[in-house]
Amino acid sequence: MKDYVQALNDRDPEALLAVGAAPDEPWSRTQANRIIESKGGKGLTITKAPVEYERMGDYLGKALLTASDAEGNTVRETVKLIHADGRWKVILFEWPQRSDKPTSAA
C-alpha cells in the first residue's frame, strides 16, 4: 500500500505499473495515466490499511485504505490485492481481451 500511495503522490506512472504488476504496454500506460490524473498528486498519508482476505485463500484480498490528503481531508478507497511472486500487488488494470480466437480443426 505504501508503494501504491507513493506512486499516486509522485504522479509516477512507471511506479504505478510496478505496484499493479502490469507490463509497460500502451494499454497499461493509458490506464496508469488515467489513474494518476484522477487520484494522483494529493499528498496522501496512510492512516490505516487493514487487509481482508477473500474466500479464495491467502492469495486474494482487499485493503481498506484510509488516508488523509494534503488539505486534511479523509480519503477512503477499497483496493483489491493479489499475492504473486512473494509480494502483494495492487489490482489496478483491466487486461485487454485476446484477439486471437481458438480455431476448430474439424
Side-chain angles (χ1 to χ4, degrees), residues 21-100:
D24 189 355
E25 300 284 340
W27 64 266
S28 57
R29 185 164 287 282
T30 297
Q31 289 181 41
N33 287 329
R34 278 193 217 129
I35 293 167
I36 293 291
E37 185 64 33
S38 67
K39 298 180 183 180
K42 296 184 179 177
L44 299 176
T45 301
I46 297 172
T47 306
K48 59 184 175 177
V51 174
E52 295 179 0
Y53 297 102
E54 299 290 330
R55 288 186 227 169
M56 299 293 288
D58 293 341
Y59 293 99
L60 292 175
K62 62 183 174 183
L64 306 173
L65 174 64
T66 303
S68 57
D69 67 13
E71 297 167 358
N73 299 309
T74 299
V75 177
R76 290 183 178 88
E77 179 181 356
T78 299
V79 181
K80 294 181 182 180
L81 303 169
I82 187 166
H83 194 266
D85 301 323
R87 294 189 52 138
W88 284 102
K89 302 285 186 173
V90 179
I91 300 173
L92 294 172
F93 302 97
E94 290 185 30
W95 293 69
Q97 298 293 320
R98 293 189 62 172
S99 61
D100 54 336

